[in-house]
Amino acid sequence: MAKIRWKRILARTALALLLIGCSEKSKNPMSPEDGTSPRGLDPFAQNAKLGRGMNLGNALEAPNEGDWDVTLKSEYFELIKSAGFNSVRIPIRWSAHAAASAPYAIATSFQQRVDWAIEQAFARQLAVVINIHHYEEIMLNPAAHKERFLAIWKQLASHYQNYSGDLFFELLNEPNSLLASDLWNQYLQEAITAIRQTNPGRILLVGTANWYNISSLKTLTLPADDRSLIVAVHYYNPFQFTHQGADWVPGSDAWLGTRWSGTPAERQAIQRDFSEAASWGAAHNRPLNIGEFGAYSKADMTSRALWTEFVARTAEANGMSWHYWEFIAGFGVYNATTNDWNYPLLYALIPKTSPALTVASSLRLPP
Ligand code: BGC
């Protein structure tokens, strides 16, 4: 009896909150195009808008959307918003949809698909990061791909110049191999200069060389007078835990069974890495984003949830925004088969007490 009443009260409260949300939405629309290129945005305030975010991985950064069994649906954005996330990061393989020779035109149909995804996010008041992801050719032969990389950004910058400042551009996911620090410092400068011609104040995310490693912050050189930047790093340590059994990491089957139980030594190792990043951020007065972190599904769920929670809270304690890797594939916080959340991971990311989650929970009661 008491339980039934409680559910009714919850349902009414949820509805009331939703209605407040709706009326706020109509008063304060976040439209994809607000008609002006963003200016005067505070990068720290914009980083707070990224807040707790979700990577929509394995969709648009596959060679073609669907190749890796993920095709974006509008309900994904709804689920992510209702669970209490603030933003989405959309990894995109533009290099597979741009011509091989100058002027390196981006295919219109693919551009429109990305427009659709951005609009889905904005319609739900989610901020959006788009990037260039899996441009593997530039890592192996930087000189041969530099002009194409810059041309892709010129096209994107022009196309999105009048979009709201809650659209963020991230220059290039995980520079690695021959695109090492020195070269990356030159390329990022040129990409920023190209984007700034049409987007003087948009907030850009710039990551470090060597796969966005925290230890590469010390070799990162940014244009000192451009304050509209957020610096991104990725976090997958201990790698033998997070990537056990990952078929794209040779030898990782030998790590199967590696657990993470949050011993003092395990926690301190993560805290040390994050304070190294935070000190760099403070010394350079740059906001920081953990653009990816996650533990692959071959690890046990208890360890995954403990690690995920610890990393997310440590990032937050250091004032960093974050994007979990990822929504609905091998690291997935959402299970495509049961069509429901992996609740231990969801609660690790968004603590159960979060008001936004209370609303989501009453719409679809968790176990
Ligand atoms: C890659 C993914 C990979 C993930 C974890 C991402 O940056 O794009 O393919 O699953 O890192 O290794």
Side-chain angles (χ1 to χ4, degrees), residues 58 61 68 133-134 173-174 234 236 243 248 292 325 331:
N58 286 32
E61 91 280 19
W68 293 349
H133 207 97
H134 281 319
N173 185 60
E174 298 185 345
H234 290 173
Y236 288 107
H243 279 67
W248 63 99
E292 290 183 14
W325 185 269
F331 293 68

Side-chain angles (χ1 to χ4, degrees), residues 16-298:
L17 283 173
L18 276 176
L19 288 176
I20 293 168
C22 289
S23 65
E24 274 181 359
K25 215 182 273 176
S26 50
K27 265 186 277 166
N28 182 21
M30 187 206 264
S31 73
E33 295 199 36
D34 63 8
T36 51
S37 182
R39 279 169 200 270
L41 295 172
D42 173 358
F44 287 91
Q46 287 302 104
N47 200 31
K49 280 195 179 178
L50 292 180
R52 295 169 165 170
M54 180 61 64
N55 273 288
L56 283 164
N58 286 32
L60 294 171
E61 91 280 19
N64 286 292
E65 188 182 12
D67 285 358
W68 293 349
D69 298 329
V70 181
T71 299
L72 297 181
K73 297 181 186 162
S74 61
E75 73 180 73
Y76 294 173
F77 296 85
E78 190 65 40
L79 284 161
I80 289 167
K81 175 64 183 184
S82 335
F85 293 94
N86 309 112
S87 63
V88 287
R89 175 176 182 257
I90 309 180
I92 305 169
R93 194 188 291 239
W94 294 102
S95 56
H97 305 277
S101 50
Y104 309 106
I106 293 170
T108 308
S109 57
F110 188 72
Q111 180 81 70
Q112 286 169 347
R113 180 66 178 153
V114 175
D115 295 350
W116 171 87
I118 296 169
E119 278 153 26
Q120 292 302 308
F122 278 155
R124 294 165 180 86
Q125 323 267 298
L126 289 163
V128 192
V129 179
I130 58 167
N131 72 0
I132 293 185
H133 207 97
H134 281 319
Y135 195 171
E136 279 140 16
E137 304 90 326
I138 199 173
M139 313 300 174
L140 301 176
N141 192 346
H145 285 270
K146 180 181 167 194
E147 288 314 315
R148 188 166 181 252
F149 166 66
L150 296 175
I152 290 172
W153 269 124
K154 279 182 200 151
Q155 291 172 75
L156 297 179
S158 160
H159 184 78
Y160 293 120
Q161 62 183 306
N162 293 328
Y163 274 49
S164 139
D166 292 331
L167 174 67
F168 298 66
F169 298 159
E170 178 187 346
L171 299 187
L172 181 67
N173 185 60
E174 298 185 345
N176 63 79
S177 307
L178 295 181
L179 189 48
S181 288
D182 287 350
L183 211 49
W184 176 230
N185 286 334
Q186 293 170 31
Y187 285 25
L188 73 85
Q189 171 74 68
E190 290 188 47
I192 292 171
T193 304
I195 293 168
R196 288 291 177 236
Q197 288 168 15
T198 46
N199 292 253
R202 185 173 305 283
I203 304 297
L204 311 179
L205 284 86
V206 187
T208 59
N210 192 21
W211 308 92
Y212 274 30
N213 218 293
I214 287 177
S215 63
S216 301
L217 280 167
K218 51 183 173 302
T219 63
L220 182 71
T221 310
L222 298 173
D225 57 349
D226 193 329
R227 306 315 299 174
S228 304
L229 306 176
I230 292 173
V231 173
V233 289
H234 290 173
Y235 199 73
Y236 288 107
N237 289 343
F239 197 69
Q240 299 195 352
F241 163 65
T242 63
H243 279 67
Q244 55 187 288
D247 50 21
W248 63 99
V249 181
S252 62
D253 278 354
W255 308 334
L256 284 167
T258 308
R259 302 180 69 86
W260 195 90
S261 40
T263 63
E266 286 174 330
R267 287 168 177 247
Q268 278 157 21
I270 293 178
Q271 278 164 335
R272 262 197 308 274
D273 290 340
F274 276 74
S275 47
E276 180 184 336
S279 309
W280 184 93
H284 294 81
N285 193 25
R286 300 285 189 186
L288 293 169
N289 165 261
I290 308 293
E292 290 183 14
F293 69 104
Y296 191 49
S297 54
K298 297 272 176 79

Side-chain angles (χ1 to χ4, degrees), residues 327-349:
F327 180 58
I328 199 169
F331 293 68
V333 66
Y334 196 81
N335 184 323
T337 311
T338 60
N339 205 18
D340 204 354
W341 293 100
N342 285 322
Y343 286 98
L345 285 180
L346 176 60
Y347 294 146
L349 292 167

